[in-house]
Structures are given as C-alpha cells and as structure tokens.
Amino acid sequence: MNKVEVLNPMTYFNTVAMEIQDICIANDFDFVHISDAMGWTTSNLTAIEKLNKKEIGNICSVLQKRELIEYLISFQKNYNESKKKALVDYKENISIYKKVKRIDGLLKGEFTSSIDLLGDISDFLGIENEKNIFEEVQKNIALYRISNFVPDNLNLYAWLKRGELDFYKLDLPDYNEELFLNWINSNVWKKQLTNVSYFLSIPDILREFGVGLVYTPYLEKTVHGAVRWFDGKPLVQISDKGKCLATAWYTLFHEFGHIIKHRNDEIFEGNLDLPKSKITKKEQEANAFAYEYLFNGDGLRKWLFGQKNQFVDYSFVDNTSAKFNVPKIFVAYWMKKAFIKSKTVNDNLPNVSF
C-alpha cells in the first residue's frame, strides 16, 4: 500500500456513530441492534458526524445509559470544532507538500518512518515541524556564504543535506593531502577522461585519501559543486548540471583546487564561467588549478574565444587538440562555450548523470 502524500488528521477522530460503536463494544452491548434501528451500515459510520438530541436520547435509552446524553452532545460538538481546525491544517500541509515534493528524489528511500510523505521529507531535512520547513531552510541557508548566484533556498538546502548524509556514510580515514596530491599528479585519471564508469568510480578511489566525493543529482537553481569540511575531512559534492562529462571533470578539479589551496574553507560554485573581473581571488586560484591539470593552462580557452561563433571543419577538434596538447573532450568543451560550430563537438562530449 502506497503511503499518502499528506495524511488527513481526521482519520484519527471518531465520528459520533463510531464513538457509539466503541461504547457498545466496551459495554458488551449488541451494536447491530442500534445500527439497524438507525439505518447505519459499518461502511458509513465515518459519514455520521451529527445526531439530533432525540436520536441521542433514543440511543441512550436503548443502552440504558441516559448519562451519556450530555457526553455525546458534547462529543460531537468537540468533533465539529476539531474537524474545522484539522481541515485548515490539512489544507496547509497539502500546500506545503506541493512546494517540497520536488526534492523527494533525494530521499533515496531512506526516510520512511513518518505517517505520510510530507513527514518523510521533513525527517530528511532534519526539521521536526513540517510547518517550519521554509522558515528553517531560510535561516540555515543564510549561514552559507553564497555570493555569485541567487539559489532556490529549499533546493540548495536539500541538495547540501543529501551530500552531508552521504558523506557520513563513507566513514573516511583521516585526510591525507600527500596521498591525494600523489594521485592527482600521477595522471592515471587522464587515460580515463571519456570513461563514464571510471568517473563514477572516483569516490571509491578518493576515499582512501580521506576525501569524501559525493555525486548528487542537480536541482534547479542550485550549484555545480561545493566544498565543505567536517572534522578536518573535505567533502566535495558535485552535481550533474548539464549532464556533460567534461563539465563534471572541470567542476571536480575546480573543487580539488579549493581543497588544496583553501583548507577548511566552505565554497559553493553557482557559476564556474564568470568573467575574471567578477570572481574572487580564491575562485581564480581554483580555476588556475583546474586549468593547469585539465587544459594545459589558459591558452586553449583564450584562443578559442578569439574565434567565437565561427564555423569550422571536421578536423578542427583533432588539430586544436594537437596544437595545445589538450584532450579532445576539453577542446570540445571550450568550443561549445565559445559557440564554435562543428558537427564533431557533441561527438567528443560524453553524457553523464548521477
């Protein structure tokens, strides 16, 4: 049985007919005698929310419990008042669920103990009261230093929460920068630049160096990637924004640059392609790190942007790759950025998704 999106709280309330049924059971009285007399069936007890005084009096006479008259009158009055409030809460929760259900995919089936899907999402976010979701998200997102874009606060909060949860599953050894740099400088990864399976296996490799790498599906108006530190261990979290393997490599090495050069700094990458004049010194340093390892410096990018919007022939990617000693995947990446038209561009840009 599928769990409901938002549980109607009225399912917890007895109607007056259901309450009378419970009284009969508690007192060993034949409820069928009353239900037949009233024309009730067991399937419609939930619909009988109000009885008039005469009906209540007749039922209490049959039960030989006249003292229940005032109780049942009061009971159904309280029921009606509770129903009004419960329906207001229900409608509010439905509205909240419609706004947060877009992050349901990040739960990975791990949060299932709540009574409804809204409760599961609230548990995932670590927010006790569903009605406080947006207030708590706003308060917590304000703690992050995000300067180069305006995020969707809920999406970003949920995206970062998923990364943090996955990071703690890794149970990492202590961070070893020397081993991490040795792997980067070994260039073993360069032989696998177009191998999607290899790219997806990198988290297992980095785990040995105490580096947590987490791949999280992209959510609208969030980030390419982020670096955070927990107990002296780096968490690199990247998204599959654009579904492009070259972009994923660039994001990954940009974040590596932050780890190496900006230890214990938290960085959130909303846009990796800002003009140099609009990015901070730390972003320039992370870019320089990625450019050196992936693009053999910045010469390729500058040269291609000097030919922006041109049409080129089939040999252009191969020739440019040889000219700048840069893998074809990254030649195609910068060609696309520079709007250089060639049928071979997409052929050299594998897709990747998390």
Side-chain angles (χ1 to χ4, degrees):
M1 181 177 178
N2 293 330
K3 186 180 290 188
V4 296
E5 296 175 345
V6 178
L7 183 68
N8 188 334
M10 289 311 298
T11 59
Y12 289 122
F13 289 83
N14 272 357
T15 62
V16 65
M18 294 165 67
E19 183 70 7
I20 291 169
Q21 182 185 44
D22 286 351
I23 290 171
C24 288
I25 293 171
N27 291 273
D28 295 324
F29 191 88
D30 184 8
F31 177 68
V32 175
H33 181 65
I34 290 177
S35 61
D36 287 347
M38 299 296 296
W40 299 344
T41 64
T42 53
S43 61
N44 76 347
L45 296 181
T46 57
I48 301 167
E49 299 178 337
K50 187 175 181 180
L51 301 173
N52 58 43
K53 289 184 179 180
K54 182 178 179 181
E55 289 171 325
I56 290 175
N58 290 339
I59 291 170
C60 291
S61 294
V62 172
L63 291 172
Q64 297 183 353
K65 289 185 175 292
R66 300 288 296 177
E67 67 274 14
L68 288 177
I69 292 176
E70 293 302 319
Y71 167 76
L72 291 174
I73 290 173
S74 176
F75 175 88
Q76 65 183 18
K77 178 183 178 183
N78 291 336
Y79 172 87
N80 288 329
E81 291 173 354
S82 297
K83 180 180 179 180
K84 290 177 183 177
K85 182 180 183 304
L87 290 178
V88 170
D89 289 343
Y90 181 57
K91 289 178 181 178
E92 182 180 356
N93 286 342
I94 287 286
S95 176
I96 292 171
Y97 177 76
K98 288 179 179 178
K99 295 174 183 176
V100 303
K101 66 179 181 179
R102 63 181 184 266
I103 68 171
D104 180 66
L106 295 183
L107 275 64
K108 295 184 177 181
E110 296 171 8
F111 294 83
T112 60
S113 62
S114 189
I115 59 176
D116 55 23
L117 296 180
L118 177 59
D120 291 342
I121 291 173
S122 185
D123 289 344
F124 161 69
L125 294 173
I127 297 172
E128 185 173 346
N129 187 337
E130 294 94 337
K131 290 182 173 58
N132 294 338
I133 285 177
F134 295 102
E135 179 184 344
E136 291 296 316
V137 164
Q138 181 69 28
K139 183 168 63 177
N140 282 282
I141 284 297
L143 301 176
Y144 297 110
R145 302 190 301 277
I146 303 170
S147 59
N148 61 357
F149 79 113
V150 178
D152 178 300
N153 287 344
L154 175 67
N155 284 2
L156 181 57
Y157 184 88
W159 191 83
L160 293 171
K161 174 65 72 173
R162 182 68 265 170
E164 186 175 340
L165 291 169
D166 289 343
F167 173 82
Y168 281 113
K169 290 179 186 176
L170 297 174
D171 191 23
L172 297 173
D174 290 339
Y175 171 50
N176 190 317
E177 184 176 274
E178 182 180 358
L179 291 179
F180 180 41
L181 271 172
N182 285 345
W183 176 78
I184 292 174
N185 290 321
S186 73
N187 291 331
V188 294
W189 48 271
K190 279 192 174 180
K191 301 174 183 177
Q192 306 287 346
L193 289 173
T194 59
N195 185 338
V196 173
S197 295
Y198 177 82
F199 185 86
L200 296 177
S201 75
I202 294 176
D204 294 329
I205 298 171
L206 299 190
R207 188 192 177 284
E208 302 303 313
F209 317 139
V211 176
L213 174 58
V214 171
Y215 296 147
T216 308
Y218 175 69
L219 289 180
E220 288 295 322
K221 297 181 71 175
T222 56
V223 292
H224 280 284
V227 171
R228 288 177 286 168
W229 294 78
F230 298 93
D231 300 322
K233 302 170 187 178
L235 161 60
V236 178
Q237 183 179 1
I238 71 171
S239 75
D240 54 0
K241 183 177 183 179
K243 311 295 184 185
C244 173
L245 184 58
T247 301
W249 276 111
Y250 177 26
T251 303
L252 183 62
F253 268 75
H254 182 97
E255 305 305 348
F256 285 173
H258 282 306
I259 292 176
I260 300 300
K261 295 179 177 295
H262 312 129
R263 192 159 181 163
N264 292 317
D265 270 5
E266 295 193 339
I267 309 289
F268 305 91
E269 314 293 358
N271 189 340
L272 291 172
D273 301 315
L274 290 171
K276 193 171 182 179
S277 61
K278 292 187 177 181
I279 61 176
T280 65
K281 181 182 178 182
K282 289 180 180 178
E283 291 304 304
Q284 292 177 30
E285 290 172 345
N287 274 345
F289 184 93
Y291 281 25
E292 186 63 32
Y293 279 97
L294 300 181
F295 315 136
N296 197 23
D298 198 20
L300 170 67
R301 183 190 66 84
K302 290 178 179 178
W303 187 76
L304 288 175
F305 271 82
Q307 303 181 67
K308 196 171 184 178
N309 296 314
Q310 289 191 27
F311 288 87
V312 296
D313 61 23
Y314 283 92
S315 64
F316 186 88
V317 172
D318 288 336
N319 292 341
T320 304
S321 174
K323 176 184 176 74
F324 287 92
N325 191 27
V326 175
K328 290 189 287 185
I329 184 176
F330 297 130
V331 172
Y333 172 81
W334 285 117
M335 285 176 65
K336 197 162 188 176
K337 292 289 183 183
F339 301 103
I340 296 174
K341 284 80 174 177
S342 171
K343 292 182 179 179
T344 59
V345 169
N346 288 334
D347 293 341
N348 288 282
L349 290 174
N351 294 328
V352 67
S353 60
F354 309 148

